[in-house]
Amino acid sequence: NHLLAEQMTWVAGMPPAQAFTCKAKTRYRQSDQRCEVNLDQNGNAGVSFEQAQRAVTPGQSLVLYDGDVCLGGGVIV
Protein backbone atom coordinates (compact mmCIF):
# COMPACT_ATOMS: atom_id res chain seq x y z
CA ASN A 1 0.00 0.00 0.00
CA HIS A 2 3.06 2.28 -0.26
CA LEU A 3 5.50 3.22 -3.00
CA LEU A 4 8.26 5.72 -3.76
CA ALA A 5 8.41 7.60 -7.05
CA GLU A 6 11.21 9.83 -8.33
CA GLN A 7 11.75 12.07 -11.37
CA MET A 8 8.43 13.76 -10.54
CA THR A 9 7.05 16.10 -13.18
CA TRP A 10 4.18 18.51 -12.50
CA VAL A 11 1.72 19.80 -15.11
CA ALA A 12 1.47 23.17 -13.30
CA GLY A 13 5.26 23.35 -12.96
CA MET A 14 5.16 22.63 -9.23
CA PRO A 15 3.32 20.26 -6.87
CA PRO A 16 0.07 21.40 -5.24
CA ALA A 17 1.68 21.08 -1.76
CA GLN A 18 4.38 19.13 0.12
CA ALA A 19 1.66 16.76 1.36
CA PHE A 20 -1.74 16.26 -0.26
CA THR A 21 -4.42 13.68 -1.06
CA CYS A 22 -5.44 12.80 -4.59
CA LYS A 23 -6.04 9.77 -6.80
CA ALA A 24 -3.40 7.79 -8.65
CA LYS A 25 -2.82 5.13 -11.26
CA THR A 26 0.10 2.72 -11.36
CA ARG A 27 -1.13 0.74 -14.39
CA TYR A 28 -2.78 1.63 -17.69
CA ARG A 29 -6.60 1.45 -17.51
CA GLN A 30 -6.52 1.01 -13.74
CA SER A 31 -9.35 2.72 -11.89
CA ASP A 32 -8.33 5.77 -9.85
CA GLN A 33 -7.01 4.85 -6.41
CA ARG A 34 -7.23 7.19 -3.40
CA CYS A 35 -3.85 8.04 -1.91
CA GLU A 36 -1.81 10.45 0.19
CA VAL A 37 1.35 11.96 -1.30
CA ASN A 38 4.28 13.26 0.76
CA LEU A 39 7.21 14.90 -1.03
CA ASP A 40 10.69 14.71 0.45
CA GLN A 41 13.39 17.40 0.23
CA ASN A 42 14.59 15.96 -3.11
CA GLY A 43 11.12 16.10 -4.67
CA ASN A 44 10.57 12.33 -4.52
CA ALA A 45 7.02 11.24 -3.72
CA GLY A 46 6.13 8.79 -0.99
CA VAL A 47 2.63 7.55 -1.83
CA SER A 48 0.37 5.68 0.60
CA PHE A 49 -2.77 4.07 -0.81
CA GLU A 50 -5.99 3.40 1.11
CA GLN A 51 -6.03 -0.13 -0.31
CA ALA A 52 -3.16 -2.44 -1.25
CA GLN A 53 -2.24 -2.18 -4.93
CA ARG A 54 -1.60 -5.07 -7.29
CA ALA A 55 1.49 -5.36 -9.51
CA VAL A 56 3.25 -2.09 -8.59
CA THR A 57 6.45 -2.40 -10.62
CA PRO A 58 9.69 -0.39 -10.47
CA GLY A 59 10.32 1.51 -13.69
CA GLN A 60 6.64 2.00 -14.47
CA SER A 61 4.83 5.31 -14.18
CA LEU A 62 2.81 6.74 -11.32
CA VAL A 63 0.24 9.30 -12.50
CA LEU A 64 -1.58 11.58 -10.03
CA TYR A 65 -5.03 13.11 -10.57
CA ASP A 66 -7.36 15.63 -8.96
CA GLY A 67 -10.66 14.49 -10.45
CA ASP A 68 -10.18 14.56 -14.23
CA VAL A 69 -7.17 16.89 -13.97
CA CYS A 70 -3.72 15.32 -14.27
CA LEU A 71 -1.43 16.78 -11.58
CA GLY A 72 1.73 15.04 -12.78
CA GLY A 73 3.66 11.86 -12.30
CA GLY A 74 6.94 10.09 -11.83
CA VAL A 75 8.81 6.82 -12.08
CA ILE A 76 8.15 4.08 -9.50
CA VAL A 77 11.33 2.87 -7.74
Side-chain angles (χ1 to χ4, degrees):
N1 64 353
H2 185 81
L3 65 81
L4 178 66
E6 49 186 27
Q7 301 177 32
M8 296 300 294
T9 305
W10 303 100
V11 173
M14 56 191 297
Q18 281 298 115
F20 58 95
T21 58
C22 64
K23 294 188 177 179
K25 291 184 182 186
T26 59
R27 296 185 319 277
Y28 181 67
R29 294 190 180 183
Q30 175 186 27
S31 61
D32 293 350
Q33 303 293 307
R34 296 177 64 86
C35 65
E36 182 175 324
V37 179
N38 290 289
L39 302 174
D40 67 16
Q41 66 276 7
N42 297 318
N44 298 323
V47 181
S48 297
F49 292 93
E50 286 186 354
Q51 297 180 355
Q53 300 298 298
R54 182 178 67 83
V56 174
T57 306
Q60 290 188 323
S61 295
L62 165 75
V63 183
L64 304 173
Y65 296 92
D66 180 9
D68 291 336
V69 177
C70 180
L71 299 173
V75 178
I76 299 169
V77 294

